[in-house]
mmCIF file of all heavy atoms in Angstrom:
data_model
loop_
_atom_site.group_PDB
_atom_site.id
_atom_site.type_symbol
_atom_site.label_atom_id
_atom_site.label_comp_id
_atom_site.label_asym_id
_atom_site.label_seq_id
_atom_site.Cartn_x
_atom_site.Cartn_y
_atom_site.Cartn_z
ATOM 1 N N GLY A 4 0.807 -1.218 -0.028
ATOM 2 C CA GLY A 4 0.007 -0.008 -0.021
ATOM 3 C C GLY A 4 0.825 1.260 0.024
ATOM 4 O O GLY A 4 0.496 2.245 -0.686
ATOM 5 N N ILE A 5 1.952 1.247 0.736
ATOM 6 C CA ILE A 5 2.840 2.444 0.771
ATOM 7 C C ILE A 5 3.483 2.674 -0.582
ATOM 8 O O ILE A 5 3.617 3.807 -1.039
ATOM 9 C CB ILE A 5 3.909 2.248 1.855
ATOM 10 C CG1 ILE A 5 3.252 2.185 3.266
ATOM 11 C CG2 ILE A 5 4.942 3.358 1.775
ATOM 12 C CD1 ILE A 5 2.554 3.451 3.678
ATOM 13 N N LEU A 6 3.870 1.589 -1.264
ATOM 14 C CA LEU A 6 4.452 1.726 -2.589
ATOM 15 C C LEU A 6 3.439 2.373 -3.550
ATOM 16 O O LEU A 6 3.790 3.234 -4.344
ATOM 17 C CB LEU A 6 4.915 0.354 -3.130
ATOM 18 C CG LEU A 6 6.070 -0.309 -2.424
ATOM 19 C CD1 LEU A 6 6.349 -1.673 -3.064
ATOM 20 C CD2 LEU A 6 7.334 0.545 -2.463
ATOM 21 N N LEU A 7 2.213 1.919 -3.511
ATOM 22 C CA LEU A 7 1.171 2.496 -4.358
ATOM 23 C C LEU A 7 0.917 3.957 -3.993
ATOM 24 O O LEU A 7 0.701 4.818 -4.885
ATOM 25 C CB LEU A 7 -0.121 1.703 -4.252
ATOM 26 C CG LEU A 7 -0.041 0.236 -4.671
ATOM 27 C CD1 LEU A 7 -1.452 -0.372 -4.688
ATOM 28 C CD2 LEU A 7 0.587 0.073 -6.033
ATOM 29 N N MET A 8 0.918 4.288 -2.714
ATOM 30 C CA MET A 8 0.740 5.666 -2.303
ATOM 31 C C MET A 8 1.854 6.554 -2.861
ATOM 32 O O MET A 8 1.595 7.718 -3.300
ATOM 33 C CB MET A 8 0.711 5.738 -0.781
ATOM 34 C CG MET A 8 0.494 7.181 -0.257
ATOM 35 S SD MET A 8 0.486 7.255 1.569
ATOM 36 C CE MET A 8 -1.111 6.417 1.888
ATOM 37 N N GLY A 9 3.109 6.030 -2.855
ATOM 38 C CA GLY A 9 4.192 6.823 -3.409
ATOM 39 C C GLY A 9 4.010 7.047 -4.913
ATOM 40 O O GLY A 9 4.314 8.127 -5.401
ATOM 41 N N ILE A 10 3.556 6.038 -5.620
ATOM 42 C CA ILE A 10 3.333 6.168 -7.084
ATOM 43 C C ILE A 10 2.240 7.232 -7.342
ATOM 44 O O ILE A 10 2.382 8.046 -8.240
ATOM 45 C CB ILE A 10 3.008 4.823 -7.676
ATOM 46 C CG1 ILE A 10 4.220 3.901 -7.639
ATOM 47 C CG2 ILE A 10 2.495 4.972 -9.133
ATOM 48 C CD1 ILE A 10 3.926 2.458 -8.039
ATOM 49 N N VAL A 11 1.148 7.144 -6.583
ATOM 50 C CA VAL A 11 0.099 8.145 -6.774
ATOM 51 C C VAL A 11 0.610 9.567 -6.448
ATOM 52 O O VAL A 11 0.339 10.502 -7.216
ATOM 53 C CB VAL A 11 -1.112 7.829 -5.848
ATOM 54 C CG1 VAL A 11 -2.156 8.962 -5.916
ATOM 55 C CG2 VAL A 11 -1.760 6.507 -6.264
ATOM 56 N N SER A 12 1.378 9.685 -5.394
ATOM 57 C CA SER A 12 1.933 10.985 -5.057
ATOM 58 C C SER A 12 2.841 11.526 -6.145
ATOM 59 O O SER A 12 2.838 12.736 -6.451
ATOM 60 C CB SER A 12 2.735 10.874 -3.740
ATOM 61 O OG SER A 12 1.906 10.487 -2.667
ATOM 62 N N GLY A 13 3.638 10.652 -6.754
ATOM 63 C CA GLY A 13 4.484 11.094 -7.855
ATOM 64 C C GLY A 13 3.741 11.404 -9.110
ATOM 65 O O GLY A 13 4.083 12.355 -9.840
ATOM 66 N N ALA A 14 2.661 10.682 -9.362
ATOM 67 C CA ALA A 14 1.869 10.889 -10.574
ATOM 68 C C ALA A 14 1.125 12.203 -10.570
ATOM 69 O O ALA A 14 0.817 12.748 -11.605
ATOM 70 C CB ALA A 14 0.894 9.729 -10.802
ATOM 71 N N ILE A 15 0.858 12.730 -9.353
ATOM 72 C CA ILE A 15 0.143 13.979 -9.269
ATOM 73 C C ILE A 15 0.851 15.068 -10.079
ATOM 74 O O ILE A 15 0.230 15.920 -10.736
ATOM 75 C CB ILE A 15 0.057 14.456 -7.780
ATOM 76 C CG1 ILE A 15 -0.831 13.517 -6.979
ATOM 77 C CG2 ILE A 15 -0.403 15.898 -7.683
ATOM 78 C CD1 ILE A 15 -0.800 13.773 -5.501
ATOM 79 N N TYR A 16 2.179 15.042 -10.074
ATOM 80 C CA TYR A 16 2.932 16.095 -10.707
ATOM 81 C C TYR A 16 2.898 16.002 -12.250
ATOM 82 O O TYR A 16 3.251 17.027 -12.895
ATOM 83 C CB TYR A 16 4.386 16.117 -10.170
ATOM 84 C CG TYR A 16 4.393 16.680 -8.781
ATOM 85 C CD1 TYR A 16 4.315 15.851 -7.662
ATOM 86 C CD2 TYR A 16 4.463 18.069 -8.572
ATOM 87 C CE1 TYR A 16 4.306 16.367 -6.374
ATOM 88 C CE2 TYR A 16 4.408 18.577 -7.307
ATOM 89 C CZ TYR A 16 4.353 17.736 -6.216
ATOM 90 O OH TYR A 16 4.308 18.250 -4.958
ATOM 91 N N THR A 17 2.480 14.903 -12.781
ATOM 92 C CA THR A 17 2.249 14.865 -14.224
ATOM 93 C C THR A 17 1.093 15.805 -14.575
ATOM 94 O O THR A 17 1.151 16.564 -15.532
ATOM 95 C CB THR A 17 1.906 13.451 -14.681
ATOM 96 O OG1 THR A 17 2.972 12.574 -14.336
ATOM 97 C CG2 THR A 17 1.650 13.397 -16.167
ATOM 98 N N SER A 18 0.029 15.787 -13.791
ATOM 99 C CA SER A 18 -1.112 16.677 -14.060
ATOM 100 C C SER A 18 -0.686 18.147 -13.869
ATOM 101 O O SER A 18 -1.124 18.980 -14.638
ATOM 102 C CB SER A 18 -2.287 16.333 -13.110
ATOM 103 O OG SER A 18 -1.970 16.605 -11.735
ATOM 104 N N VAL A 19 0.136 18.388 -12.888
ATOM 105 C CA VAL A 19 0.607 19.775 -12.652
ATOM 106 C C VAL A 19 1.440 20.256 -13.811
ATOM 107 O O VAL A 19 1.266 21.375 -14.314
ATOM 108 C CB VAL A 19 1.380 19.866 -11.325
ATOM 109 C CG1 VAL A 19 2.012 21.232 -11.164
ATOM 110 C CG2 VAL A 19 0.453 19.526 -10.148
ATOM 111 N N ARG A 20 2.394 19.419 -14.272
ATOM 112 C CA ARG A 20 3.289 19.828 -15.365
ATOM 113 C C ARG A 20 2.478 19.998 -16.653
ATOM 114 O O ARG A 20 2.728 20.948 -17.414
ATOM 115 C CB ARG A 20 4.387 18.772 -15.541
ATOM 116 C CG ARG A 20 5.408 18.763 -14.427
ATOM 117 C CD ARG A 20 6.598 17.886 -14.790
ATOM 118 N NE ARG A 20 6.218 16.498 -14.986
ATOM 119 C CZ ARG A 20 6.217 15.575 -14.028
ATOM 120 N NH1 ARG A 20 6.567 15.905 -12.811
ATOM 121 N NH2 ARG A 20 5.885 14.335 -14.272
ATOM 122 N N VAL A 21 1.604 19.064 -16.944
ATOM 123 C CA VAL A 21 0.794 19.170 -18.169
ATOM 124 C C VAL A 21 -0.081 20.458 -18.139
ATOM 125 O O VAL A 21 -0.200 21.175 -19.111
ATOM 126 C CB VAL A 21 -0.078 17.935 -18.331
ATOM 127 C CG1 VAL A 21 -1.092 18.125 -19.451
ATOM 128 C CG2 VAL A 21 0.800 16.701 -18.666
ATOM 129 N N ASN A 22 -0.696 20.682 -16.985
ATOM 130 C CA ASN A 22 -1.536 21.869 -16.853
ATOM 131 C C ASN A 22 -0.719 23.152 -16.988
ATOM 132 O O ASN A 22 -1.172 24.116 -17.620
ATOM 133 C CB ASN A 22 -2.238 21.847 -15.491
ATOM 134 C CG ASN A 22 -3.243 22.979 -15.351
ATOM 135 O OD1 ASN A 22 -2.949 24.034 -14.785
ATOM 136 N ND2 ASN A 22 -4.427 22.780 -15.905
ATOM 137 N N ASN A 23 0.463 23.171 -16.420
ATOM 138 C CA ASN A 23 1.353 24.336 -16.591
ATOM 139 C C ASN A 23 1.667 24.593 -18.040
ATOM 140 O O ASN A 23 1.662 25.725 -18.534
ATOM 141 C CB ASN A 23 2.624 24.144 -15.778
ATOM 142 C CG ASN A 23 2.463 24.501 -14.312
ATOM 143 O OD1 ASN A 23 1.586 25.307 -13.950
ATOM 144 N ND2 ASN A 23 3.267 23.893 -13.473
ATOM 145 N N ASP A 24 1.973 23.541 -18.800
ATOM 146 C CA ASP A 24 2.258 23.675 -20.182
ATOM 147 C C ASP A 24 1.061 24.195 -20.982
ATOM 148 O O ASP A 24 1.208 25.036 -21.865
ATOM 149 C CB ASP A 24 2.690 22.310 -20.790
ATOM 150 C CG ASP A 24 4.156 21.975 -20.414
ATOM 151 O OD1 ASP A 24 4.830 22.806 -19.824
ATOM 152 O OD2 ASP A 24 4.566 20.833 -20.756
ATOM 153 N N MET A 25 -0.116 23.706 -20.600
ATOM 154 C CA MET A 25 -1.308 24.120 -21.349
ATOM 155 C C MET A 25 -1.712 25.575 -21.060
ATOM 156 O O MET A 25 -2.211 26.254 -21.905
ATOM 157 C CB MET A 25 -2.508 23.186 -20.964
ATOM 158 C CG MET A 25 -2.312 21.755 -21.408
ATOM 159 S SD MET A 25 -2.197 21.525 -23.217
ATOM 160 C CE MET A 25 -3.862 22.039 -23.681
ATOM 161 N N THR A 26 -1.534 25.975 -19.820
ATOM 162 C CA THR A 26 -2.041 27.315 -19.421
ATOM 163 C C THR A 26 -0.969 28.393 -19.590
ATOM 164 O O THR A 26 -1.320 29.619 -19.598
ATOM 165 C CB THR A 26 -2.498 27.298 -17.965
ATOM 166 O OG1 THR A 26 -1.455 26.823 -17.084
ATOM 167 C CG2 THR A 26 -3.704 26.383 -17.795
ATOM 168 N N SER A 27 0.294 28.020 -19.715
ATOM 169 C CA SER A 27 1.354 29.049 -19.835
ATOM 170 C C SER A 27 1.620 29.467 -21.272
ATOM 171 O O SER A 27 2.331 30.430 -21.529
ATOM 172 C CB SER A 27 2.650 28.494 -19.201
ATOM 173 O OG SER A 27 3.152 27.404 -19.979
ATOM 174 N N GLY A 28 1.094 28.695 -22.229
ATOM 175 C CA GLY A 28 1.301 29.034 -23.638
ATOM 176 C C GLY A 28 2.518 28.332 -24.269
ATOM 177 O O GLY A 28 2.747 28.466 -25.473
ATOM 178 N N ILE A 29 3.256 27.542 -23.491
ATOM 179 C CA ILE A 29 4.445 26.864 -23.999
ATOM 180 C C ILE A 29 4.061 25.827 -25.061
ATOM 181 O O ILE A 29 4.826 25.560 -25.987
ATOM 182 C CB ILE A 29 5.252 26.222 -22.887
ATOM 183 C CG1 ILE A 29 6.652 25.788 -23.352
ATOM 184 C CG2 ILE A 29 4.526 25.032 -22.277
ATOM 185 C CD1 ILE A 29 7.536 26.897 -23.767
ATOM 186 N N ILE A 30 2.839 25.261 -24.982
ATOM 187 C CA ILE A 30 2.395 24.292 -25.953
ATOM 188 C C ILE A 30 2.336 24.917 -27.342
ATOM 189 O O ILE A 30 2.744 24.324 -28.330
ATOM 190 C CB ILE A 30 1.007 23.733 -25.564
ATOM 191 C CG1 ILE A 30 1.099 22.830 -24.351
ATOM 192 C CG2 ILE A 30 0.370 22.966 -26.717
ATOM 193 C CD1 ILE A 30 1.790 21.497 -24.560
ATOM 194 N N ASP A 31 1.813 26.157 -27.399
ATOM 195 C CA ASP A 31 1.780 26.843 -28.706
ATOM 196 C C ASP A 31 3.177 27.073 -29.260
ATOM 197 O O ASP A 31 3.416 26.969 -30.469
ATOM 198 C CB ASP A 31 1.037 28.186 -28.560
ATOM 199 C CG ASP A 31 -0.416 28.021 -28.185
ATOM 200 O OD1 ASP A 31 -1.007 26.972 -28.555
ATOM 201 O OD2 ASP A 31 -0.935 28.906 -27.485
ATOM 202 N N ARG A 32 4.110 27.341 -28.345
ATOM 203 C CA ARG A 32 5.482 27.542 -28.766
ATOM 204 C C ARG A 32 6.074 26.236 -29.339
ATOM 205 O O ARG A 32 6.747 26.222 -30.364
ATOM 206 C CB ARG A 32 6.299 27.996 -27.572
ATOM 207 C CG ARG A 32 7.807 28.220 -27.865
ATOM 208 C CD ARG A 32 8.036 29.523 -28.630
ATOM 209 N NE ARG A 32 9.455 29.759 -28.826
ATOM 210 C CZ ARG A 32 10.194 30.430 -27.987
ATOM 211 N NH1 ARG A 32 9.682 30.867 -26.846
ATOM 212 N NH2 ARG A 32 11.465 30.624 -28.208
ATOM 213 N N PHE A 33 5.768 25.147 -28.657
ATOM 214 C CA PHE A 33 6.248 23.830 -29.133
ATOM 215 C C PHE A 33 5.646 23.520 -30.513
ATOM 216 O O PHE A 33 6.327 22.972 -31.406
ATOM 217 C CB PHE A 33 5.851 22.730 -28.143
ATOM 218 C CG PHE A 33 6.726 22.688 -26.925
ATOM 219 C CD1 PHE A 33 6.172 22.302 -25.694
ATOM 220 C CD2 PHE A 33 8.041 23.067 -26.984
ATOM 221 C CE1 PHE A 33 6.971 22.253 -24.552
ATOM 222 C CE2 PHE A 33 8.852 23.013 -25.848
ATOM 223 C CZ PHE A 33 8.295 22.620 -24.634
ATOM 224 N N HIS A 34 4.345 23.832 -30.685
ATOM 225 C CA HIS A 34 3.689 23.500 -31.962
ATOM 226 C C HIS A 34 4.227 24.342 -33.103
ATOM 227 O O HIS A 34 4.017 23.964 -34.273
ATOM 228 C CB HIS A 34 2.178 23.708 -31.825
ATOM 229 C CG HIS A 34 1.539 22.638 -30.991
ATOM 230 N ND1 HIS A 34 0.221 22.696 -30.581
ATOM 231 C CD2 HIS A 34 2.033 21.480 -30.459
ATOM 232 C CE1 HIS A 34 -0.076 21.651 -29.882
ATOM 233 N NE2 HIS A 34 1.014 20.887 -29.792
ATOM 234 N N SER A 35 4.875 25.422 -32.812
ATOM 235 C CA SER A 35 5.455 26.254 -33.881
ATOM 236 C C SER A 35 6.818 25.692 -34.325
ATOM 237 O O SER A 35 7.417 26.170 -35.275
ATOM 238 C CB SER A 35 5.611 27.678 -33.424
ATOM 239 O OG SER A 35 6.578 27.796 -32.405
ATOM 240 N N MET A 36 7.293 24.668 -33.575
ATOM 241 C CA MET A 36 8.595 24.119 -33.868
ATOM 242 C C MET A 36 8.392 22.795 -34.586
ATOM 243 O O MET A 36 7.340 22.141 -34.484
ATOM 244 C CB MET A 36 9.368 23.875 -32.564
ATOM 245 C CG MET A 36 9.590 25.123 -31.770
ATOM 246 S SD MET A 36 10.165 24.785 -30.063
ATOM 247 C CE MET A 36 11.787 24.088 -30.382
ATOM 248 N N PRO A 37 9.404 22.359 -35.362
ATOM 249 C CA PRO A 37 9.261 21.103 -36.154
ATOM 250 C C PRO A 37 9.470 19.823 -35.294
ATOM 251 O O PRO A 37 10.420 19.098 -35.474
ATOM 252 C CB PRO A 37 10.360 21.229 -37.197
ATOM 253 C CG PRO A 37 11.431 22.051 -36.533
ATOM 254 C CD PRO A 37 10.681 23.045 -35.673
ATOM 255 N N ILE A 38 8.530 19.639 -34.313
ATOM 256 C CA ILE A 38 8.626 18.468 -33.499
ATOM 257 C C ILE A 38 7.288 17.727 -33.502
ATOM 258 O O ILE A 38 6.251 18.350 -33.777
ATOM 259 C CB ILE A 38 9.006 18.798 -32.049
ATOM 260 C CG1 ILE A 38 7.914 19.689 -31.393
ATOM 261 C CG2 ILE A 38 10.343 19.431 -31.932
ATOM 262 C CD1 ILE A 38 8.121 19.919 -29.931
ATOM 263 N N ALA A 39 7.312 16.446 -33.258
ATOM 264 C CA ALA A 39 6.072 15.660 -33.237
ATOM 265 C C ALA A 39 5.239 16.038 -32.014
ATOM 266 O O ALA A 39 5.763 16.121 -30.900
ATOM 267 C CB ALA A 39 6.418 14.173 -33.194
ATOM 268 N N ARG A 40 3.938 16.256 -32.220
ATOM 269 C CA ARG A 40 3.064 16.668 -31.116
ATOM 270 C C ARG A 40 3.000 15.552 -30.041
ATOM 271 O O ARG A 40 2.902 15.857 -28.864
ATOM 272 C CB ARG A 40 1.667 16.975 -31.632
ATOM 273 C CG ARG A 40 1.567 18.211 -32.484
ATOM 274 C CD ARG A 40 0.128 18.608 -32.716
ATOM 275 N NE ARG A 40 0.047 19.861 -33.442
ATOM 276 C CZ ARG A 40 -1.081 20.575 -33.541
ATOM 277 N NH1 ARG A 40 -2.185 20.104 -33.011
ATOM 278 N NH2 ARG A 40 -1.109 21.711 -34.204
ATOM 279 N N SER A 41 3.055 14.318 -30.491
ATOM 280 C CA SER A 41 2.937 13.203 -29.530
ATOM 281 C C SER A 41 4.128 13.165 -28.562
ATOM 282 O O SER A 41 3.992 12.686 -27.438
ATOM 283 C CB SER A 41 2.899 11.874 -30.304
ATOM 284 O OG SER A 41 4.101 11.700 -31.081
ATOM 285 N N SER A 42 5.262 13.740 -28.967
ATOM 286 C CA SER A 42 6.449 13.690 -28.088
ATOM 287 C C SER A 42 6.274 14.560 -26.814
ATOM 288 O O SER A 42 6.943 14.327 -25.822
ATOM 289 C CB SER A 42 7.704 14.160 -28.840
ATOM 290 O OG SER A 42 7.560 15.492 -29.288
ATOM 291 N N ILE A 43 5.350 15.533 -26.867
ATOM 292 C CA ILE A 43 5.140 16.397 -25.715
ATOM 293 C C ILE A 43 4.527 15.594 -24.544
ATOM 294 O O ILE A 43 5.026 15.631 -23.436
ATOM 295 C CB ILE A 43 4.247 17.600 -26.105
ATOM 296 C CG1 ILE A 43 4.947 18.431 -27.186
ATOM 297 C CG2 ILE A 43 3.983 18.495 -24.894
ATOM 298 C CD1 ILE A 43 4.055 19.498 -27.810
#
C-alpha cells in the first residue's frame, strides 16, 4: 500500500506539469517548432 501511495503521489505532478504547459502558452511555442506533437 505504501508503494502505491508513493506512485500516486509522484503521478500528481504529471497533471501539474501538463496543466502548466497548457495554461502558460508553451504548448503553442512547441507547436510552432518542427517536433512531433505526440512527443510532448
Side-chain angles (χ1 to χ4, degrees):
I5 295 296
L6 292 178
L7 299 188
M8 181 180 289
I10 291 172
V11 173
S12 300
I15 294 171
Y16 286 93
T17 301
S18 66
V19 173
R20 290 190 298 268
V21 169
N22 186 264
N23 279 333
D24 283 354
M25 295 297 295
T26 56
S27 67
I29 192 67
I30 289 289
D31 296 330
R32 180 75 177 272
F33 284 148
H34 287 173
S35 67
M36 301 167 67
I38 62 174
R40 292 191 175 194
S41 60
S42 61
I43 299 171

